[in-house]
Amino acid sequence: PSAQPPPAAQPAIQAPAVPSKAAPDYPDPRTLMLGVFYFAAQPSTQPEIKGGSQATAYQDVSNLGKEKAGFGAEASYPITRTGTIYAEYFIDKGDGSQTTTVITSPFAQTYPAGTKITSSYNIQHGRVYLDDLLFPHFFPVRKFRLKSIWAFEYTKMSATFDTPGVASVVDSSGNTTLGTITGSHTTFLPELGAAAEYAIAPHILLRADAAGFGIPHSSEVWEANATVSWRVHNVEVVAGGKILHFKTTPNASDYLQGTVDGAFAGVRYHFNGLF
């Protein structure tokens, strides 16, 4: 019998390719974050009270005292692939004393020249803002990126003046002089700003941001931060510098203004997997 031809070679069956796992958008998961920080404020321009456009007497008192260390809290939550909502709040206090060189009437309380007065103040500042990726709009995110800041801020400063050991006096015209007086002013303003970030390592981030807003001949605010942060799993440590400048509206009998700056350090906790 004739020889049979060998069977034709069958093509090798290849296993289906396993798709590679896509790289995450960010080195660390973006979830709910809560944090606290310590603010070692130092006076840049010490808070002061000044007479406004409706003042009927001299009402200026400068250098209300040196700031003391303050404390703050913050939170964040991502709402889009590029954007995160942040909220932060801190309190700073200070006090001082001086002797008046002229007749002055802060908060309509008159202190004759040569009066020794003490002052104390409390600054509360908070804001809520959207931090959104601006450039480059690329994922996974680049080491360097720019972000836009869209914010609404609240700043309140209250101040108290006193003449230790001296009671208030009512003169023949019914005006109260000496003694204790307390007053406060508040700003509510939007803020526009930008931030620059650079990841020097997957879990170490440098960041600088600035934002502010002002109304001509009225209130104004601006603030800036420069930080370095290091995250390990759920815990992040952050440190850097912070500055805040504010002025309440001068379209009143008096207004308050000042600039507060200093170093700060804090810790943040990220609730991975819960949201």
Side-chain angles (χ1 to χ4, degrees), residues 31 52 63 70 110 115 117 129 146 157 160 186 192 199 209 235 239:
T31 59
N63 301 325
T110 302
T115 302
I117 61 173
Y129 65 96
L146 295 175
M157 178 177 169
T160 298
T186 304
L192 301 176
D209 64 75
V235 179

Side-chain angles (χ1 to χ4, degrees), residues 234-254:
N234 297 68
V235 179
E236 182 180 8
V237 178
V238 60
K242 177 184 290 291
I243 184 170
L244 167 70
H245 168 78
F246 67 92
K247 182 182 77 173
T248 65
T249 178
N251 299 318
S253 59
D254 50 56

Side-chain angles (χ1 to χ4, degrees), residues 10-164:
Q10 298 295 321
I13 300 176
Q14 296 182 351
V18 178
S20 60
K21 185 178 180 180
D25 288 350
Y26 299 85
D28 292 301
R30 300 164 64 238
T31 59
L32 174 67
M33 179 276 290
L34 298 178
V36 293
F37 60 87
Y38 173 85
F39 183 27
Q42 297 295 321
S44 175
T45 301
Q46 294 184 0
E48 60 184 352
I49 181 173
K50 297 183 70 68
S53 60
Q54 300 178 28
T56 57
Y58 184 79
Q59 297 183 229
D60 293 16
V61 180
S62 300
N63 301 325
L64 300 187
K66 184 178 179 180
E67 286 90 349
K68 297 180 179 179
F71 296 90
E74 57 182 340
S76 70
Y77 188 77
I79 58 171
T80 68
R81 192 179 187 187
T82 61
T84 300
I85 288 289
Y86 283 84
E88 61 182 23
Y89 173 83
F90 73 83
I91 298 177
D92 182 44
K93 299 180 180 181
D95 55 47
S97 64
Q98 59 185 286
T99 300
T100 60
T101 57
V102 296
I103 300 174
T104 185
S105 303
F107 301 133
Q109 181 84 306
T110 302
Y111 297 109
T115 302
K116 181 178 180 180
I117 61 173
T118 61
S119 55
S120 61
Y121 59 88
N122 182 308
I123 299 171
Q124 302 177 57
H125 175 71
R127 65 172 176 167
V128 176
Y129 65 96
L130 171 65
D131 181 280
D132 201 16
L133 182 62
L134 185 64
F135 175 86
H137 208 276
F138 188 90
F139 296 98
V141 292
R142 297 303 196 218
K143 288 186 176 182
F144 174 79
R145 57 255 192 185
L146 295 175
K147 295 186 171 185
S148 60
I149 294 175
W150 308 83
F152 186 81
E153 72 83 37
Y154 157 86
T155 303
K156 178 180 180 180
M157 178 177 169
S158 58
T160 298
F161 299 93
D162 194 13
T163 50

Side-chain angles (χ1 to χ4, degrees), residues 167-183:
S168 60
V169 176
V170 179
D171 63 20
S172 58
S173 301
N175 300 315
T176 301
T177 63
L178 304 179
T180 304
I181 189 69
T182 298

